[in-house]
Amino acid sequence: MTTVLPAPEAVRSINEIGIGLLRQPSMVLFGPGQRRQIPRVVAGVARRVLMVTDARMSASPEFAQITETLAEQGISVLVYDGTEPDLPRRNVVDIAQRFSDSAVEAVVGIGGGSCMDLAKVASVVLTHGGDVRDYYGQFLVPGPGIPVVTVPTTGGTGAEVTCISVIFDEDQGMKVGVASPHLEAYAAIIDPELTLTCPPGLTAASGADALSHLIESFTGRAKNPDTGQLATTLYAGKNVLADVYARTGLALLNRSLPAVAADPADLPARSDTLFGAYCAGMAINTAGTAGAHAIQSPIGALTHTPHGFGISALLPYVMRYNLPARLPEFAEIGRILGVARETDTEERQAQSAISRIEDILQTLGAPIDLRTLGLQPGDFEYVAKQAMLATRLTANNPRELTVDSVQAILRRGYDDDRSWWQL
């Protein structure tokens, strides 16, 4: 299949004003065993805490130890362990109904991305009231909520440091975001030991997600926002500070993800993976995610497949679509990953980066084609139209996305056609 694209100069955007922007928790603690700091951190801001997690984590000895230590510090502990994958709105409604009158003073989100996203948005509804739908969009949270402490147990989402919660609204049939600097956690406590029991499938899905965050932030659209846009828009686009984290995270995951796939008990590799996922969260917190995330949402709703696997299956084709607009960035990724030679042409360096990313995904056991997910050709137009509604994400893509171009990406992904688009 050959698709002719406009010249790169026609679609390339550059950070001409040299902007850099970071948003982050007030405190980040990283390292094996740092979960033991949770009681001390919580005691500094609350005497009554709500633990938000899922059924798997709540049954673990690590969770029992954390809650027992909190109680020993004289902190009253409430537990919500009903968090579901892809965070349905009903979980937020459930928390609001059960804990609105409980005088909760802090929320600890411990688990995967859904648990931490739920903790962040629970802080909003418990503080400001109303329905979570009141806060869909950007900068609609009226003020700070009760303090949130995030504790990731998977190496992928970066939700421990992002100021957005992604929610699946069952009535709308789509994912929506509550995006505000007021969602930023008070503290993120990142303990790689908590990822040692992460199942292989979840390790693969979350690892693919982290890798995609680094790629989409580093190759995303540079927006050159003015003062007014910075005050009202969460994502400033590709920027010099986010790029620092993206480069560091790519180098870490290049080594650590294959090592974790080979030996899930490799704590140094787990540590590097979680550090890389943290870097990815820091990068997307101001640069944002892009096309792959916009397209995955309706695919996930149709196929009921994990977010990370949908992202993995899309990445080879979205990267190829974006390549003409981001040759220098993909070439640099190739050098970061150690697969590009300085003597290669820029195009060859860029292509080697994409091939290496695919190798990592395959080593993890993550899918790299859409047929594996169960997506059908008859769904392509619906997926494309739904993806175009995610304007917060499509606006970050380095090449303009249209219904037709998304369908072209989907056809290639379904056919596992990894030939290169021609300029």
Side-chain angles (χ1 to χ4, degrees):
M1 179 187 296
T2 299
T3 305
V4 179
L5 302 178
E9 292 77 14
V11 293
R12 181 167 170 76
S13 62
I14 301 172
N15 185 358
E16 296 172 345
I17 62 176
I19 191 171
L21 177 65
L22 289 182
R23 296 188 183 97
Q24 57 191 336
S26 299
M27 178 192 306
V28 177
L29 283 170
F30 180 93
Q34 292 305 311
R35 65 186 181 280
R36 298 179 181 89
Q37 299 278 5
I38 294 173
R40 180 186 63 80
V41 172
V42 171
V45 294
R47 305 308 297 172
R48 189 171 180 83
V49 64
L50 172 62
M51 306 289 289
V52 175
T53 189
D54 56 24
R56 185 180 75 89
M57 185 63 198
S58 69
S60 70
E62 292 85 0
F63 185 81
Q65 182 183 48
I66 292 167
T67 55
E68 288 169 7
T69 309
L70 282 165
E72 290 170 0
Q73 295 289 321
I75 299 170
S76 178
V77 179
L78 304 170
V79 176
Y80 180 84
D81 63 358
T83 311
E84 300 172 71
D86 292 319
L87 186 52
R89 173 179 167 268
R90 60 177 171 265
N91 287 170
V92 188
V93 173
D94 192 19
I95 276 191
Q97 291 174 344
R98 291 173 58 179
F99 300 104
S100 289
D101 298 325
S102 298
V104 173
E105 296 176 345
V107 183
V108 173
I110 178 168
S114 290
C115 295
M116 293 183 286
D117 277 357
L118 180 54
K120 290 183 290 188
V121 80
S123 168
V124 171
V125 297
L126 292 177
T127 301
H128 301 290
D131 188 290
V132 67
R133 286 173 173 160
D134 300 334
Y135 309 109
Y136 287 175
Q138 300 187 66
F139 285 73
L140 297 179
V141 178
I146 55 179
V148 175
V149 177
T150 50
V151 186
T153 63
T154 65
T157 68
E160 64 271 19
V161 293
T162 59
C163 48
I164 184 171
S165 289
V166 179
I167 299 157
F168 180 72
D169 191 303
E170 303 96 313
D171 295 336
Q172 297 184 23
M174 63 184 295
K175 289 183 178 180
V176 291
V178 177
S180 167
H182 293 309
L183 261 70
E184 196 67 77
Y186 164 72
I189 300 178
I190 307 171
D191 185 345
E193 290 180 354
L194 290 174
T195 67
L196 288 171
T197 58
C198 188
L202 185 54
T203 296
S206 55
D209 197 23
L211 199 55
S212 75
H213 292 163
L214 295 163
I215 295 160
E216 291 203 307
S217 64
F218 193 67
T219 63
R221 182 176 294 272
K223 298 179 179 179
N224 298 297
D226 60 28
T227 303
Q229 290 168 328
L230 277 179
T232 57
T233 304
L234 191 68
Y235 294 145
K238 177 178 169 64
N239 66 86
V240 296
L241 293 178
D243 283 353
V244 172
Y245 283 93
R247 291 186 181 99
T248 300
L250 285 164
L252 286 165
L253 295 188
N254 182 49
R255 300 187 303 267
S256 68
L257 286 177
V260 166
D263 180 7
D266 184 339
L267 183 57
R270 288 282 191 182
S271 296
D272 283 350
T273 296
L274 199 52
F275 193 10
Y278 157 74
C279 289
M282 289 296 296
I284 63 171
N285 207 19
T286 54
T289 54
H293 280 72
I295 302 169
Q296 185 280 327
S297 181
I299 291 176
L302 285 171
T303 62
H304 306 289
T305 48
H307 169 77
F309 283 168
I311 291 293
S312 175
L314 281 163
L315 263 182
Y317 315 99
V318 175
M319 288 190 296
R320 280 169 170 76
Y321 176 77
N322 288 332
L323 179 60
R326 282 292 179 261
L327 273 173
E329 287 76 12
F330 276 111
E332 183 175 353
I333 291 173
R335 296 190 293 273
I336 291 169
L337 301 182
V339 292
R341 295 175 298 185
E342 295 285 351
T343 55
D344 290 337
T345 65
E346 188 174 60
E347 183 179 14
R348 181 69 197 108
Q349 291 183 46
Q351 291 174 347
S352 69
I354 293 174
S355 297
R356 172 58 181 166
I357 291 161
E358 291 168 351
D359 289 343
I360 295 171
L361 294 173
Q362 288 181 300
T363 298
L364 283 172
I368 57 171
D369 72 273
L370 293 172
R371 193 187 300 252
T372 300
L373 301 183
L375 187 69
Q376 299 299 316
D379 297 324
F380 291 174
E381 183 177 4
Y382 169 80
V383 168
K385 289 180 177 178
Q386 288 296 111
M388 296 307 299
L389 298 178
T391 54
R392 174 176 55 84
L393 304 179
T394 57
N396 295 327
N397 206 65
R399 289 199 61 221
E400 182 181 358
L401 290 168
T402 65
V403 170
D404 288 343
S405 64
V406 172
Q407 288 190 81
I409 291 168
L410 294 172
R411 283 193 295 272
R412 281 178 169 251
Y414 185 81
D415 293 335
D416 192 17
D417 177 2
R418 284 181 275 152
S419 57
W420 303 102
W421 263 279
Q422 293 185 351
L423 303 181

